[in-house]
Amino acid sequence: MAIPKKIRIGDLLVGHGIISDDQLQTALATQKKLGAKLGSTLVELGYVTENGFLKFLAQQLKIPFVDLKHYQYSPEAVQLLPEILARRYRALVLEEKENGLLVGMADPTDIYSFDELRNQLKRPIQQAVVREADLMATIDTVYRRTDEIINLAGELDEELADGAFDLENLLSNAELEDAPVVRLLRSLFEDAVQVGASDIHIEPDETVLRLRQRIDGMLHEQVMKEKRIASALVSRLKLMSGLDISERRLPQDGRFNIKVRGRSIDVRLSTMPLQYGESVVMRLLDQSGGLLSMEQVGMPEKILKQFRSFIRRPHGLLLVTGPTGSGKTTTLYGALNELNRSEKKIITVEDPVEYRLPRINQVQIHEKIGLSFSRVLRAALRQDPDVVMVGEMRDQETAEIGLRAAMTGHLVLSTLHTNDAVSTALRLLDMGAEGFVVGSALQAILAQRLVRRICENCIEDDPLDESLRNWLEKAIEPGAAQLAFKRGSGCHQCHNSGYHGRVGVFELLEIDTLLADTLRRGDAAGFAEQARRQPGFKPLTLAAFEYARNGITSMEEVLRVAGQVDEGVDHNLMTTPLPGDEINDNGAVFVQSS
């Protein structure tokens, strides 16, 4: 069994010429002041790189350095050490070997932690040094609460079956923190926050209960046989949201705030009656992270510069479009955050208000009492605003008020649920807005999507099939099929999805004089044709393709973006007409097969 050595790493670094004695003394003084470890202090001061320091440490201790991002550890071995101890000692059991356990440690010179691990595991230990940030991220990934949720569900199911407590009394007593239903919900929220889920779905079926989490835009399902616990979960959530627990026949909406792992999470809850009970969907909004700046939204530099110029104009309409979950709200809040200055009056009309913003006047729509978008928007314009943000243009009346506000000296930001920038302008005409008003008020349209990033831990070459290669040659550009593309094979770090995280894809269309003229004439085909020829305009599919070309996302994600865009508009925007091509009434180009 390897016993960690007590070494003076600073002296060794000086002795090997990696840092100077003056740098060591500066680091020691800084370390004493901050209470940090010497290694992290040296890295923070820029005297050594983290990788360089850890590899030097591993070399001196004669132990391996393990890069957890690319290490295939054993899920069974990891569970040998409880999560609370893994976090306390900054350690992770990586695999079982014939002569003991390989344990990754952020600080392998910590003799106290080593002794405690040895006593807990009761096996010989071989140490490895790992990056602390990677270690903590891996702990968040591998110590899922799946088993804990199943056990708590079984416990709650048994108590419901035995009638061990009065459910209504339990649900109304907020102090019974140890009740199974409370502990189950706590575990459910902690697990969702730990894996970065944006939504939690609770769906009762005929014989089972389905718990699903949306991670990076995709649902991951956990099926539980304890179906009867669904009513207890739903009732407790209704109470937390201030809803009527006796009403099970009608949909209800509510919200509440919870603290999870030191973070403030705003939960938007929606219930809907189903054949076998009530379905609950909860949107999780992390309020503790703060709003993203425009740089953090993820726009390419060129589009960001253009977008900034539009939001700084004194008047006009700027639309952000895309399907649900495409990041429209994040972009709009980023714009509002940048515009939020003491000299500007900003009013938002939202349903619901997702993030609370200081200094900004935010109005929550309430259709049941007549507080509609159009009514609030009319009132907002009498409040002398400089900027108005309308959560969504849902009907003709709201669209017309917003357009006229943009023509009378207000900057209006809003969203539409359309597939791309071209169809957005045409949607306004379809909603009944007059062409000359749209042409005069509309300044620009930003369409966006979120595509999943390939997991760096399991990235590999993607041999495309013949049909996809043919599509690339026709829809993107000649020679595109010969490029090298990547995909994720699936691993423990990405929950076997092949993806980890998401990145925005953007398409910005400026309504210049020529486009405005086609809108005034109500010329849909002419607008689509002129938009396609606008210098510098890059459609969503091509923007997504650039990410695939650079190995950031996969061709699977590019096809998903292309499939969401209307086929006519999509081909029109991606293809230049050639002799023999046909253009239909909508301006779509149909390429003749050779």
Side-chain angles (χ1 to χ4, degrees), residues 8-271:
R8 296 177 61 86
I9 189 67
D11 293 338
L12 288 173
L13 287 167
V14 172
H16 284 76
I18 297 174
I19 62 173
S20 67
D21 189 60
D22 288 343
Q23 288 176 325
L24 174 60
Q25 298 310 315
T26 302
L28 289 171
T30 305
Q31 177 197 16
K32 186 177 180 180
K33 186 187 303 181
L34 299 178
K37 293 183 178 179
L38 179 61
S40 58
T41 304
L42 289 167
V43 173
E44 187 70 25
L45 291 172
Y47 296 159
V48 294
T49 64
E50 185 179 21
N51 275 1
F53 174 78
L54 292 179
K55 287 178 180 178
F56 178 80
L57 180 62
Q59 183 181 12
Q60 296 304 310
L61 294 174
K62 296 182 172 54
I63 61 175
F65 166 71
V66 171
D67 185 349
L68 285 177
K69 286 184 177 179
H70 305 287
Y71 188 81
Q72 297 293 331
Y73 50 78
S74 165
E76 294 79 15
V78 168
Q79 299 303 323
L80 295 174
L81 185 67
E83 179 184 4
I84 188 171
L85 297 182
R87 293 185 182 278
R88 180 183 301 166
Y89 302 127
R90 298 290 195 267
L92 197 70
V93 181
L94 301 177
E95 62 178 287
E96 293 187 75
K97 294 177 170 289
E98 290 183 3
N99 55 348
L101 301 173
L102 179 63
V103 178
M105 297 183 68
D107 181 10
T109 65
D110 186 339
I111 298 175
Y112 171 77
S113 293
F114 178 85
D115 287 340
E116 291 297 315
L117 288 170
R118 185 172 53 180
N119 293 334
Q120 173 68 31
L121 295 170
K122 296 179 173 55
R123 299 271 298 277
I125 292 177
Q126 298 178 25
Q127 289 178 297
V129 61
V130 297
R131 284 186 289 266
E132 185 169 3
D134 290 348
L135 174 71
M136 301 312 295
T138 303
I139 287 175
D140 284 344
T141 301
V142 299
Y143 285 105
R144 294 289 305 277
R145 284 168 170 74
T146 306
D147 293 337
E148 181 181 327
I149 289 170
I150 292 173
N151 293 335
L152 286 169
E155 184 180 339
L156 176 58
D157 186 60
E158 288 177 9
E159 295 206 20
L160 287 171
D162 296 340
F165 57 80
D166 181 346
L167 179 61
E168 295 301 324
N169 180 58
L170 167 69
L171 297 174
S172 61
N173 189 342
E175 296 180 359
L176 294 179
E177 293 299 320
D178 290 330
V181 66
V182 177
R183 288 186 286 133
L184 175 55
L185 285 173
R186 185 189 300 136
S187 294
L188 189 59
F189 282 120
E190 287 180 351
D191 187 59
V193 170
Q194 184 169 304
V195 298
S198 60
D199 301 83
I200 300 174
H201 296 235
I202 300 174
E203 302 170 347
D205 211 332
E206 183 176 9
T207 58
V208 297
L209 174 65
R210 301 182 191 279
L211 299 178
R212 302 204 276 178
Q213 297 176 337
R214 190 175 294 279
I215 304 170
D216 292 337
M218 295 296 171
L219 286 171
H220 297 254
E221 183 176 87
Q222 182 179 356
V223 179
M224 310 176 73
K225 65 180 183 298
E226 297 87 357
K227 186 211 164 185
R228 78 177 107 194
I229 71 172
S231 60
L233 291 175
V234 173
S235 296
R236 180 71 196 191
L237 289 167
K238 282 183 176 180
L239 278 171
M240 294 167 69
S241 307
L243 303 180
D244 184 357
I245 64 172
S246 64
E247 179 56 76
R248 297 183 175 92
R249 301 165 300 169
L250 297 173
Q252 297 187 69
D253 296 309
R255 68 189 304 165
F256 57 90
N257 188 273
I258 56 173
K259 291 277 189 182
V260 181
R261 299 167 68 89
R263 294 154 69 178
S264 176
I265 306 296
D266 202 26
V267 182
R268 280 169 33 199
L269 178 141
S270 171
T271 72

Side-chain angles (χ1 to χ4, degrees), residues 492-508:
H492 51 269
Q493 290 196 11
C494 61
H495 312 293
N496 292 314
S497 66
Y499 300 96
H500 185 67
R502 291 188 290 178
V503 61
V505 177
F506 300 89
E507 163 188 297
L508 183 63

Side-chain angles (χ1 to χ4, degrees), residues 365-428:
I365 293 303
H366 199 330
E367 296 282 357
K368 289 183 179 179
I369 62 172
L371 203 61
S372 62
F373 273 105
S374 56
R375 185 171 184 176
V376 175
L377 187 51
R378 280 197 192 92
L381 295 176
R382 294 193 289 269
Q383 293 278 310
D384 187 31
D386 297 291
V387 181
V388 177
M389 194 270 273
V390 184
E392 182 184 352
M393 290 192 168
R394 295 182 177 177
D395 52 45
Q396 179 181 352
E397 188 177 12
T398 306
E400 288 180 345
I401 298 171
L403 285 164
R404 294 192 182 278
M407 293 177 65
T408 55
H410 303 89
L411 177 63
V412 180
L413 310 177
S414 190
T415 70
L416 270 178
H417 286 279
T418 49
N419 286 331
D420 61 0
V422 174
S423 61
T424 301
L426 304 181
R427 175 70 61 83
L428 289 174

